[in-house]
Amino acid sequence: DNSTGMPWEQHDGYVQVQDISDMKASDHMSDAVTTLALASYLTSNQSYANKAAQLLDVWFVDTRTVMTPHLEHAGVIPGFSNGSSTGIIVTSHRWNTRLTDAVELLASTAALPERLLREIKRWNSQYLNWLVTSKKGLAEANMPQNHATWHTVESAALAFATGDVKTATQRLDRLTDIQTPAALSHQIKSSGLMPREASRTNGAGYSCMNVAGLFHAATVANNIRASMATNAIGSVGRPLPPDLFSFRNSTDGSGSI
């Protein structure tokens, strides 16, 4: 008995559990690759890396099984839409930096074939382009709450992983640029309250989710700064200023976070 004609109603924070097989497969893949990468790195056992390579190849390279580098049809709301921008949270929050970190960890020990690394980088570039230029990607990036925070995390991590430091810094800058809807000054009150998270079904949970995203963003920023500092020291003989990429004056008057 609702306008969609479907036998259910939309509720914040709930998913249609009858059809989340793709999301589960995505979660299992990222969990497995992350665990295998750590196991390979810590034990120097190539068999772990080989399994990670197999999973990465199936998901990102093999033309018979590769995921198309977009999420146009994620977050389907039966009777309402065949895809929504909020579906991007499936990778931005659940993958965040874990996959790019796992691939980098494996690459650091030459545990992955060069061909696979090139193809993953190409896929990452294509997905990044969709995240920052598509209608759904732009909508997600401009939500003044945790969806934009995690979009920032994933897009910055993908950019950094593909060698595009300029784009990575631009994505992170959005969190402190008051001209962007996703800026922390629009998300967090001076008291620390996040109104758009607190007003949701599980306000405490979503607030913690947003804070976790901010820590991830700060970590990506720190890694980028370290990379740029290394390059700067080599090119001009001095490190970059220590406050670069810090989230200074990022809330609505409370100062640093």
Side-chain angles (χ1 to χ4, degrees):
D1 295 329
N2 61 72
S3 60
T4 68
M6 296 292 171
W8 52 73
E9 293 183 350
Q10 182 181 1
H11 292 279
D12 179 41
Y14 290 86
V15 297
Q16 182 64 14
V17 295
Q18 285 88 341
D19 189 22
I20 57 173
S21 56
D22 288 345
M23 185 173 72
K24 286 184 176 180
S26 172
D27 288 351
H28 292 331
M29 180 275 297
S30 60
D31 288 345
V33 169
T34 300
T35 302
L36 289 164
L38 288 169
S40 172
Y41 184 82
L42 294 173
T43 67
S44 299
N45 187 329
Q46 182 62 32
S47 64
Y48 295 128
N50 292 343
K51 185 60 179 181
Q54 179 188 8
L55 295 174
L56 290 167
D57 183 76
V58 167
W59 201 275
F60 299 108
V61 180
D62 191 329
T63 56
R64 299 167 298 177
T65 55
V66 62
M67 172 185 167
T68 304
H70 67 68
L71 286 178
E72 285 292 337
H73 305 294
V76 171
I77 305 173
F80 184 76
S81 75
N82 289 322
S84 65
S85 63
T86 56
I88 293 172
I89 200 74
V90 171
T91 63
S92 63
H93 175 236
R94 294 169 183 270
W95 290 5
N96 54 75
T97 67
R98 293 198 305 160
L99 278 178
T100 51
D101 288 346
V103 171
E104 182 63 27
L105 197 61
L106 290 164
S108 70
T109 58
L112 295 181
E114 285 296 323
R115 176 196 64 84
L116 181 60
L117 289 173
R118 287 195 303 270
E119 290 301 313
I120 292 174
K121 183 176 180 178
R122 184 174 67 87
W123 192 97
N124 285 343
S125 295
Q126 293 175 338
Y127 187 44
L128 171 63
N129 182 67
W130 182 83
L131 281 174
V132 301
T133 63
S134 69
K135 183 178 179 179
K136 289 185 174 68
L138 291 171
E140 185 78 346
N142 287 316
M143 292 183 70
Q145 41 104 298
N146 75 81
H147 278 251
T149 300
W150 285 105
H151 183 285
T152 297
V153 170
E154 182 173 42
S155 58
L158 286 168
F160 188 46
T162 56
D164 188 353
V165 175
K166 180 179 179 180
T167 296
T169 56
Q170 288 174 342
R171 304 315 299 175
L172 291 164
D173 284 345
R174 289 171 53 81
L175 290 177
T176 52
D177 181 358
I178 61 173
Q179 301 302 316
T180 64
L184 300 188
S185 57
H186 303 315
Q187 292 196 48
I188 308 173
K189 296 293 185 181
S190 58
S191 63
L193 179 70
M194 304 176 194
R196 291 176 179 82
E197 311 297 351
S199 63
R200 298 184 65 185
T201 304
N202 178 8
Y206 284 117
S207 296
C208 291
M209 181 177 175
N210 199 30
V211 170
L214 296 175
F215 274 104
H216 273 73
T219 300
V220 175
N222 187 61
N223 289 338
I224 292 172
R225 181 185 177 277
S227 175
M228 294 181 69
T230 299
N231 292 336
I233 291 171
S235 61
V236 300
R238 62 178 183 274
L240 297 177
D243 61 352
L244 185 66
F245 299 118
S246 64
F247 293 138
R248 295 167 299 156
N249 303 316
S250 54
T251 67
D252 65 345
S254 64
S256 301
I257 61 170

Short mmCIF file of all heavy atoms in Angstrom, two decimals, residues 84-131:
data_model
loop_
_atom_site.label_atom_id
_atom_site.label_comp_id
_atom_site.label_asym_id
_atom_site.label_seq_id
_atom_site.Cartn_x
_atom_site.Cartn_y
_atom_site.Cartn_z
N SER A 84 21.08 4.22 -7.55
CA SER A 84 21.16 5.52 -6.88
C SER A 84 22.59 5.80 -6.47
O SER A 84 23.41 4.89 -6.33
CB SER A 84 20.25 5.55 -5.64
OG SER A 84 20.70 4.62 -4.68
N SER A 85 22.88 7.07 -6.27
CA SER A 85 24.24 7.46 -5.89
C SER A 85 24.66 6.85 -4.57
O SER A 85 25.84 6.54 -4.36
CB SER A 85 24.34 8.99 -5.81
OG SER A 85 23.49 9.49 -4.79
N THR A 86 23.70 6.63 -3.68
CA THR A 86 24.06 6.10 -2.36
C THR A 86 24.61 4.68 -2.42
O THR A 86 25.23 4.22 -1.47
CB THR A 86 22.83 6.13 -1.42
OG1 THR A 86 21.75 5.41 -2.03
CG2 THR A 86 22.39 7.56 -1.16
N GLY A 87 24.39 3.99 -3.56
CA GLY A 87 24.94 2.65 -3.70
C GLY A 87 26.46 2.63 -3.76
O GLY A 87 27.08 1.58 -3.58
N ILE A 88 27.07 3.79 -4.00
CA ILE A 88 28.53 3.87 -4.08
C ILE A 88 29.17 3.51 -2.74
O ILE A 88 30.33 3.08 -2.68
CB ILE A 88 28.96 5.28 -4.54
CG1 ILE A 88 28.52 5.50 -5.99
CG2 ILE A 88 30.46 5.49 -4.41
CD1 ILE A 88 28.72 6.92 -6.50
N ILE A 89 28.41 3.63 -1.66
CA ILE A 89 28.95 3.31 -0.34
C ILE A 89 29.39 1.85 -0.27
O ILE A 89 30.22 1.48 0.58
CB ILE A 89 27.89 3.60 0.75
CG1 ILE A 89 28.55 3.76 2.13
CG2 ILE A 89 26.81 2.54 0.77
CD1 ILE A 89 29.28 5.04 2.33
N VAL A 90 28.88 1.01 -1.17
CA VAL A 90 29.26 -0.41 -1.19
C VAL A 90 30.76 -0.56 -1.39
O VAL A 90 31.39 -1.44 -0.79
CB VAL A 90 28.49 -1.16 -2.30
CG1 VAL A 90 29.05 -2.58 -2.48
CG2 VAL A 90 27.01 -1.22 -1.95
N THR A 91 31.37 0.28 -2.22
CA THR A 91 32.82 0.20 -2.39
C THR A 91 33.55 1.27 -1.57
O THR A 91 34.62 1.00 -1.01
CB THR A 91 33.25 0.34 -3.86
OG1 THR A 91 32.88 1.64 -4.36
CG2 THR A 91 32.61 -0.74 -4.71
N SER A 92 32.98 2.47 -1.47
CA SER A 92 33.71 3.55 -0.78
C SER A 92 33.93 3.24 0.69
O SER A 92 35.00 3.50 1.25
CB SER A 92 32.98 4.88 -0.94
OG SER A 92 31.71 4.84 -0.32
N HIS A 93 32.91 2.66 1.34
CA HIS A 93 33.04 2.32 2.75
C HIS A 93 33.62 0.93 2.96
O HIS A 93 34.48 0.72 3.81
CB HIS A 93 31.68 2.41 3.45
CG HIS A 93 31.69 1.97 4.87
ND1 HIS A 93 30.88 0.98 5.38
CD2 HIS A 93 32.46 2.38 5.92
CE1 HIS A 93 31.13 0.79 6.66
NE2 HIS A 93 32.07 1.64 7.02
N ARG A 94 33.19 -0.02 2.16
CA ARG A 94 33.59 -1.41 2.38
C ARG A 94 34.98 -1.72 1.80
O ARG A 94 35.74 -2.50 2.36
CB ARG A 94 32.53 -2.36 1.82
CG ARG A 94 31.20 -2.25 2.55
CD ARG A 94 30.10 -3.00 1.82
NE ARG A 94 28.82 -2.84 2.47
CZ ARG A 94 28.35 -3.66 3.41
NH1 ARG A 94 29.07 -4.69 3.81
NH2 ARG A 94 27.18 -3.46 3.97
N TRP A 95 35.31 -1.12 0.65
CA TRP A 95 36.66 -1.28 0.11
C TRP A 95 37.58 -0.22 0.70
O TRP A 95 38.72 -0.51 1.04
CB TRP A 95 36.67 -1.13 -1.41
CG TRP A 95 36.02 -2.22 -2.19
CD1 TRP A 95 35.34 -3.31 -1.70
CD2 TRP A 95 35.97 -2.33 -3.62
NE1 TRP A 95 34.87 -4.09 -2.73
CE2 TRP A 95 35.24 -3.52 -3.92
CE3 TRP A 95 36.45 -1.56 -4.68
CZ2 TRP A 95 35.00 -3.93 -5.23
CZ3 TRP A 95 36.21 -1.96 -5.98
CH2 TRP A 95 35.49 -3.13 -6.24
N ASN A 96 37.09 1.00 0.78
CA ASN A 96 37.86 2.19 1.19
C ASN A 96 39.29 2.14 0.64
O ASN A 96 39.49 2.17 -0.57
CB ASN A 96 37.77 2.43 2.69
CG ASN A 96 38.16 1.26 3.57
OD1 ASN A 96 39.34 0.95 3.71
ND2 ASN A 96 37.18 0.61 4.17
N THR A 97 40.29 2.05 1.50
CA THR A 97 41.67 1.98 1.01
C THR A 97 42.23 0.56 1.06
O THR A 97 43.39 0.33 0.72
CB THR A 97 42.60 2.87 1.86
OG1 THR A 97 42.68 2.34 3.19
CG2 THR A 97 42.07 4.30 1.93
N ARG A 98 41.41 -0.39 1.48
CA ARG A 98 41.94 -1.74 1.74
C ARG A 98 42.48 -2.41 0.48
O ARG A 98 43.55 -3.03 0.51
CB ARG A 98 40.87 -2.61 2.37
CG ARG A 98 40.47 -2.17 3.77
CD ARG A 98 39.76 -3.29 4.51
NE ARG A 98 38.60 -3.78 3.75
CZ ARG A 98 38.04 -4.97 3.94
NH1 ARG A 98 38.54 -5.79 4.84
NH2 ARG A 98 36.98 -5.33 3.25
N LEU A 99 41.75 -2.30 -0.63
CA LEU A 99 42.21 -2.97 -1.85
C LEU A 99 43.45 -2.32 -2.42
O LEU A 99 44.39 -3.00 -2.83
CB LEU A 99 41.08 -3.00 -2.89
CG LEU A 99 40.05 -4.12 -2.71
CD1 LEU A 99 38.97 -4.01 -3.77
CD2 LEU A 99 40.72 -5.48 -2.79
N THR A 100 43.46 -0.99 -2.48
CA THR A 100 44.66 -0.32 -3.00
C THR A 100 45.86 -0.60 -2.08
O THR A 100 46.98 -0.78 -2.57
CB THR A 100 44.43 1.20 -3.13
OG1 THR A 100 43.90 1.72 -1.90
CG2 THR A 100 43.45 1.50 -4.26
N ASP A 101 45.62 -0.65 -0.77
CA ASP A 101 46.71 -0.97 0.17
C ASP A 101 47.20 -2.40 -0.05
O ASP A 101 48.41 -2.66 -0.03
CB ASP A 101 46.23 -0.82 1.61
CG ASP A 101 46.03 0.62 2.03
OD1 ASP A 101 46.51 1.52 1.31
OD2 ASP A 101 45.38 0.86 3.06
N ALA A 102 46.25 -3.32 -0.24
CA ALA A 102 46.63 -4.73 -0.42
C ALA A 102 47.46 -4.92 -1.68
O ALA A 102 48.47 -5.64 -1.68
CB ALA A 102 45.37 -5.60 -0.48
N VAL A 103 47.03 -4.27 -2.76
CA VAL A 103 47.78 -4.38 -4.02
C VAL A 103 49.17 -3.78 -3.86
O VAL A 103 50.16 -4.35 -4.33
CB VAL A 103 47.01 -3.69 -5.17
CG1 VAL A 103 47.88 -3.61 -6.43
CG2 VAL A 103 45.72 -4.45 -5.48
N GLU A 104 49.25 -2.65 -3.18
CA GLU A 104 50.55 -2.01 -2.97
C GLU A 104 51.46 -2.90 -2.10
O GLU A 104 52.67 -3.00 -2.35
CB GLU A 104 50.36 -0.65 -2.31
CG GLU A 104 51.65 0.13 -2.09
CD GLU A 104 52.37 0.48 -3.39
OE1 GLU A 104 51.69 0.60 -4.43
OE2 GLU A 104 53.62 0.63 -3.37
N LEU A 105 50.87 -3.54 -1.11
CA LEU A 105 51.64 -4.42 -0.24
C LEU A 105 52.20 -5.59 -1.03
O LEU A 105 53.38 -5.96 -0.89
CB LEU A 105 50.74 -4.93 0.89
CG LEU A 105 51.41 -5.54 2.12
CD1 LEU A 105 52.30 -4.53 2.82
CD2 LEU A 105 50.35 -6.07 3.08
N LEU A 106 51.38 -6.17 -1.89
CA LEU A 106 51.82 -7.29 -2.72
C LEU A 106 52.87 -6.82 -3.73
O LEU A 106 53.86 -7.51 -3.98
CB LEU A 106 50.63 -7.91 -3.44
CG LEU A 106 49.64 -8.67 -2.56
CD1 LEU A 106 48.33 -8.89 -3.28
CD2 LEU A 106 50.25 -10.01 -2.12
N ALA A 107 52.67 -5.65 -4.30
CA ALA A 107 53.61 -5.13 -5.29
C ALA A 107 54.97 -4.82 -4.66
O ALA A 107 56.01 -4.94 -5.31
CB ALA A 107 53.04 -3.88 -5.95
N SER A 108 54.97 -4.43 -3.38
CA SER A 108 56.22 -4.06 -2.72
C SER A 108 57.18 -5.23 -2.60
O SER A 108 58.39 -5.04 -2.42
CB SER A 108 55.92 -3.49 -1.33
OG SER A 108 55.47 -4.51 -0.44
N THR A 109 56.66 -6.44 -2.68
CA THR A 109 57.51 -7.62 -2.60
C THR A 109 57.56 -8.37 -3.94
O THR A 109 57.97 -9.53 -3.98
CB THR A 109 57.00 -8.59 -1.52
OG1 THR A 109 55.64 -8.97 -1.82
CG2 THR A 109 57.04 -7.94 -0.15
N ALA A 110 57.14 -7.67 -4.99
CA ALA A 110 57.13 -8.26 -6.34
C ALA A 110 56.34 -9.56 -6.39
O ALA A 110 56.70 -10.50 -7.11
CB ALA A 110 58.56 -8.48 -6.82
N ALA A 111 55.26 -9.62 -5.60
CA ALA A 111 54.48 -10.85 -5.51
C ALA A 111 53.41 -10.97 -6.59
O ALA A 111 52.81 -12.02 -6.74
CB ALA A 111 53.82 -10.94 -4.13
N LEU A 112 53.17 -9.87 -7.34
CA LEU A 112 52.16 -9.89 -8.39
C LEU A 112 52.80 -9.68 -9.76
O LEU A 112 53.76 -8.91 -9.89
CB LEU A 112 51.11 -8.79 -8.16
CG LEU A 112 50.25 -8.90 -6.91
CD1 LEU A 112 49.27 -7.73 -6.86
CD2 LEU A 112 49.49 -10.21 -6.88
N PRO A 113 52.28 -10.32 -10.78
CA PRO A 113 52.81 -10.13 -12.13
C PRO A 113 52.63 -8.67 -12.60
O PRO A 113 51.63 -8.04 -12.27
CB PRO A 113 51.95 -11.07 -12.99
CG PRO A 113 51.37 -12.05 -12.04
CD PRO A 113 51.18 -11.32 -10.74
N GLU A 114 53.58 -8.17 -13.34
CA GLU A 114 53.51 -6.80 -13.83
C GLU A 114 52.26 -6.56 -14.67
O GLU A 114 51.64 -5.49 -14.61
CB GLU A 114 54.76 -6.45 -14.63
CG GLU A 114 56.00 -6.22 -13.79
CD GLU A 114 55.84 -5.00 -12.88
OE1 GLU A 114 55.21 -4.01 -13.32
OE2 GLU A 114 56.32 -5.05 -11.74
N ARG A 115 51.88 -7.55 -15.46
CA ARG A 115 50.70 -7.40 -16.31
C ARG A 115 49.46 -7.16 -15.46
O ARG A 115 48.63 -6.30 -15.76
CB ARG A 115 50.50 -8.67 -17.15
CG ARG A 115 49.24 -8.65 -18.01
CD ARG A 115 48.88 -10.04 -18.51
NE ARG A 115 48.54 -10.94 -17.42
CZ ARG A 115 47.33 -11.01 -16.86
NH1 ARG A 115 46.36 -10.21 -17.27
NH2 ARG A 115 47.10 -11.85 -15.88
N LEU A 116 49.33 -7.91 -14.38
CA LEU A 116 48.18 -7.77 -13.49
C LEU A 116 48.16 -6.39 -12.85
O LEU A 116 47.12 -5.74 -12.77
CB LEU A 116 48.21 -8.86 -12.42
CG LEU A 116 47.05 -8.85 -11.42
CD1 LEU A 116 45.72 -9.01 -12.13
CD2 LEU A 116 47.24 -9.96 -10.38
N LEU A 117 49.32 -5.92 -12.42
CA LEU A 117 49.41 -4.60 -11.80
C LEU A 117 49.00 -3.51 -12.79
O LEU A 117 48.29 -2.56 -12.42
CB LEU A 117 50.83 -4.34 -11.31
CG LEU A 117 51.28 -5.16 -10.08
CD1 LEU A 117 52.76 -4.94 -9.81
CD2 LEU A 117 50.45 -4.77 -8.86
N ARG A 118 49.43 -3.63 -14.04
CA ARG A 118 49.06 -2.63 -15.06
C ARG A 118 47.56 -2.61 -15.29
O ARG A 118 46.95 -1.55 -15.39
CB ARG A 118 49.80 -2.91 -16.37
CG ARG A 118 51.27 -2.59 -16.37
CD ARG A 118 51.82 -2.56 -17.79
NE ARG A 118 51.57 -3.82 -18.51
CZ ARG A 118 52.39 -4.85 -18.52
NH1 ARG A 118 53.52 -4.78 -17.81
NH2 ARG A 118 52.11 -5.94 -19.19
N GLU A 119 46.96 -3.80 -15.36
CA GLU A 119 45.53 -3.88 -15.63
C GLU A 119 44.70 -3.37 -14.45
O GLU A 119 43.67 -2.73 -14.63
CB GLU A 119 45.14 -5.32 -15.98
CG GLU A 119 45.66 -5.79 -17.32
CD GLU A 119 45.16 -4.92 -18.46
OE1 GLU A 119 43.95 -4.63 -18.52
OE2 GLU A 119 46.00 -4.50 -19.30
N ILE A 120 45.15 -3.66 -13.24
CA ILE A 120 44.45 -3.14 -12.06
C ILE A 120 44.54 -1.63 -12.03
O ILE A 120 43.55 -0.94 -11.72
CB ILE A 120 45.04 -3.75 -10.77
CG1 ILE A 120 44.73 -5.25 -10.70
CG2 ILE A 120 44.50 -3.03 -9.54
CD1 ILE A 120 45.40 -5.95 -9.55
N LYS A 121 45.70 -1.09 -12.34
CA LYS A 121 45.86 0.36 -12.38
C LYS A 121 44.94 0.98 -13.42
O LYS A 121 44.33 2.04 -13.19
CB LYS A 121 47.32 0.72 -12.68
CG LYS A 121 47.61 2.21 -12.66
CD LYS A 121 49.08 2.49 -12.88
CE LYS A 121 49.36 3.99 -12.85
NZ LYS A 121 50.81 4.28 -13.02
N ARG A 122 44.81 0.32 -14.57
CA ARG A 122 43.93 0.83 -15.61
C ARG A 122 42.48 0.82 -15.14
O ARG A 122 41.74 1.78 -15.34
CB ARG A 122 44.07 -0.01 -16.88
CG ARG A 122 43.28 0.48 -18.07
CD ARG A 122 43.60 -0.32 -19.32
NE ARG A 122 43.14 -1.70 -19.18
CZ ARG A 122 41.89 -2.09 -19.50
NH1 ARG A 122 41.02 -1.22 -19.96
NH2 ARG A 122 41.53 -3.35 -19.37
N TRP A 123 42.06 -0.28 -14.49
CA TRP A 123 40.70 -0.36 -13.97
C TRP A 123 40.46 0.72 -12.91
O TRP A 123 39.42 1.38 -12.91
CB TRP A 123 40.46 -1.75 -13.36
CG TRP A 123 39.02 -2.04 -13.05
CD1 TRP A 123 38.14 -2.73 -13.82
CD2 TRP A 123 38.30 -1.65 -11.86
NE1 TRP A 123 36.91 -2.79 -13.20
CE2 TRP A 123 36.98 -2.14 -12.01
CE3 TRP A 123 38.63 -0.93 -10.72
CZ2 TRP A 123 35.99 -1.92 -11.04
CZ3 TRP A 123 37.65 -0.72 -9.75
CH2 TRP A 123 36.35 -1.21 -9.92
N ASN A 124 41.42 0.89 -12.02
CA ASN A 124 41.29 1.91 -10.98
C ASN A 124 41.12 3.30 -11.58
O ASN A 124 40.33 4.11 -11.08
CB ASN A 124 42.52 1.89 -10.06
CG ASN A 124 42.51 0.72 -9.09
OD1 ASN A 124 41.48 0.09 -8.87
ND2 ASN A 124 43.67 0.41 -8.52
N SER A 125 41.87 3.59 -12.64
CA SER A 125 41.76 4.89 -13.30
C SER A 125 40.37 5.10 -13.90
O SER A 125 39.80 6.19 -13.81
CB SER A 125 42.82 5.02 -14.40
OG SER A 125 44.12 5.01 -13.86
N GLN A 126 39.84 4.05 -14.50
CA GLN A 126 38.51 4.14 -15.10
C GLN A 126 37.43 4.33 -14.03
O GLN A 126 36.51 5.14 -14.20
CB GLN A 126 38.22 2.88 -15.92
CG GLN A 126 39.09 2.74 -17.16
CD GLN A 126 38.86 1.41 -17.86
OE1 GLN A 126 38.39 0.43 -17.27
NE2 GLN A 126 39.21 1.36 -19.14
N TYR A 127 37.55 3.59 -12.95
CA TYR A 127 36.56 3.71 -11.88
C TYR A 127 36.66 5.08 -11.21
O TYR A 127 35.64 5.71 -10.90
CB TYR A 127 36.76 2.59 -10.86
CG TYR A 127 35.68 2.54 -9.80
CD1 TYR A 127 34.34 2.66 -10.15
CD2 TYR A 127 35.99 2.33 -8.46
CE1 TYR A 127 33.34 2.61 -9.18
CE2 TYR A 127 35.00 2.27 -7.49
CZ TYR A 127 33.68 2.41 -7.85
OH TYR A 127 32.69 2.35 -6.90
N LEU A 128 37.87 5.55 -11.00
CA LEU A 128 38.07 6.88 -10.42
C LEU A 128 37.41 7.94 -11.30
O LEU A 128 36.74 8.84 -10.79
CB LEU A 128 39.56 7.17 -10.27
CG LEU A 128 39.94 8.60 -9.88
CD1 LEU A 128 39.39 8.95 -8.50
CD2 LEU A 128 41.45 8.78 -9.92
N ASN A 129 37.61 7.83 -12.60
CA ASN A 129 37.01 8.80 -13.51
C ASN A 129 35.49 8.81 -13.37
O ASN A 129 34.86 9.89 -13.35
CB ASN A 129 37.41 8.48 -14.95
CG ASN A 129 36.84 9.48 -15.94
OD1 ASN A 129 37.21 10.65 -15.94
ND2 ASN A 129 35.91 9.04 -16.78
N TRP A 130 34.89 7.62 -13.25
CA TRP A 130 33.45 7.56 -13.08
C TRP A 130 33.03 8.18 -11.74
O TRP A 130 32.05 8.93 -11.67
CB TRP A 130 32.97 6.10 -13.15
CG TRP A 130 31.47 6.00 -13.02
CD1 TRP A 130 30.54 6.17 -14.00
CD2 TRP A 130 30.75 5.74 -11.80
NE1 TRP A 130 29.27 6.04 -13.47
CE2 TRP A 130 29.37 5.77 -12.13
CE3 TRP A 130 31.13 5.49 -10.48
CZ2 TRP A 130 28.36 5.56 -11.18
CZ3 TRP A 130 30.14 5.29 -9.53
CH2 TRP A 130 28.78 5.32 -9.89
N LEU A 131 33.79 7.90 -10.69
CA LEU A 131 33.44 8.43 -9.36
C LEU A 131 33.42 9.95 -9.32
O LEU A 131 32.59 10.54 -8.62
CB LEU A 131 34.44 7.91 -8.32
CG LEU A 131 34.28 6.49 -7.80
CD1 LEU A 131 35.45 6.14 -6.89
CD2 LEU A 131 32.96 6.31 -7.05
#
